[in-house]
Amino acid sequence: MNAFTTAAAVGSEEPLSPGYDTATKYDAEFNQHFRHGFTTIDDVQMHHVIGGDGPQVIVLLHGWPQSWYEYRPIMPSLLPGRTVIAIDLPGMGDSTGNPPSMTKTVLATYVHKLLNHLGHHENVQVVAHDHGLNVAYSLAAQYRDQVAGLFLMDAALVGKNLKFATLESMFWHFSFFLQNPLAEELVTGRVETFLTYFFQSVKTAGENVSDDELAEFVRVYSRPQVLHAGFGLYRTLTQDEADNTKLQDTPLTIPVHLITQAGLADAFLPPLQDAAPHATSAVVPGAGHFLLHEAPDRVLAEINAFYPNPTP
């Protein structure tokens, strides 16, 4: 048996999420290259997927309503010369337990401690999508020696010059998710119906999530704690705005690049430059918010251009 087909990473804990390998159990390519791992950080058992043993560490942070699995299509192609780590944010995916807050400074501290536990204290390259962008920024701003770069996808950084109230007025679901506990009460038991509509409502002419991908996201968001944590990402954005405003007093000097769907770069890049003055951006034509599903080859090319592969 290939070493990577074991139930979890060598030395990791017994998983508290029994269905963690539902989407990967019979995925031969995944099991050849990657393994699941579980590590308790401050009372939250964090799930991560790791593969490769290259010298360059690249960390993948997901958004809502997704998990580490949104990166599955491109992960094998990232491997040569790299160690690839896709993380389920605290309280989400197949991570188990409730962090004290879903503010992105707190979530970033969990990621920081997990990476330290795995032995990656510096020179970590980060890729992040959606709410993962705010976590990635907090990670880089709080733990500057650990992060070597930020590659960010289709989200806005609240802070000095972009207020949560502006975002709330732009996207219908922001206001809905703030309704606590009404949002959970309406979606619980209807997760598949809700996510099917949500994915369809924010895509463009590109491909939507596949049936298998949808099934995996429905599985994890049907865990009661995950649905609550996911809505918590939105309910803490006002505090994120205040936290980021303070963090932006010390600008990032690492390379930062943002890719967006058409029409959003002009709105999303300036607030990011409040945090990283030299940040750059590019547009992915014909794709909507879920870039990894709609344009995976373009995303992969952009990542490799920003983070040149160390393998010749």
Side-chain angles (χ1 to χ4, degrees), residues 112-125:
H112 161 71
K113 290 181 178 181
L114 175 62
L115 293 175
N116 281 349
H117 175 82
L118 297 173
H120 306 305
H121 302 275
E122 59 185 7
N123 196 36
V124 172
Q125 296 174 340

Side-chain angles (χ1 to χ4, degrees), residues 68-115:
W68 77 269
Y69 197 67
E70 73 166 301
Y71 289 98
R72 171 66 187 89
I74 69 168
M75 286 170 65
S77 298
L78 290 172
L79 277 177
R82 297 178 173 126
T83 297
V84 176
I85 306 172
I87 296 174
D88 274 340
L89 295 176
M92 304 189 69
D94 284 297
S95 293
T96 300
N98 299 305
S101 170
M102 292 301 289
T103 60
K104 311 317 172 288
T105 53
V106 168
L107 300 186
T109 297
Y110 278 88
V111 174
H112 161 71
K113 290 181 178 181
L114 175 62
L115 293 175

Side-chain angles (χ1 to χ4, degrees), residues 228-246:
H228 179 74
F231 293 156
L233 293 171
Y234 293 83
R235 293 169 182 165
T236 51
L237 280 169
T238 299
Q239 184 59 50
D240 295 336
E241 177 188 309
D243 292 340
N244 290 349
T245 297
K246 294 178 181 178

Side-chain angles (χ1 to χ4, degrees), residues 120-134:
H120 306 305
H121 302 275
E122 59 185 7
N123 196 36
V124 172
Q125 296 174 340
V126 179
V127 175
H129 175 231
D130 190 69
H131 283 282
L133 177 150
N134 281 278

Side-chain angles (χ1 to χ4, degrees), residues 1-21:
M1 179 182 292
N2 186 292
F4 290 124
T5 63
T6 54
V10 174
S12 80
E13 303 166 1
E14 190 70 21
L16 297 176
S17 178
Y20 73 92
D21 62 348

Side-chain angles (χ1 to χ4, degrees), residues 4-54:
F4 290 124
T5 63
T6 54
V10 174
S12 80
E13 303 166 1
E14 190 70 21
L16 297 176
S17 178
Y20 73 92
D21 62 348
T22 299
T24 61
K25 187 181 300 184
Y26 304 109
D27 184 337
E29 182 185 48
F30 174 90
N31 289 315
Q32 180 181 359
H33 297 293
F34 295 96
R35 60 197 185 275
H36 296 272
F38 297 85
T39 302
T40 295
I41 305 293
D42 295 343
D43 298 324
V44 174
Q45 188 186 69
M46 291 189 62
H47 171 236
H48 62 280
V49 169
I50 186 168
D53 57 3

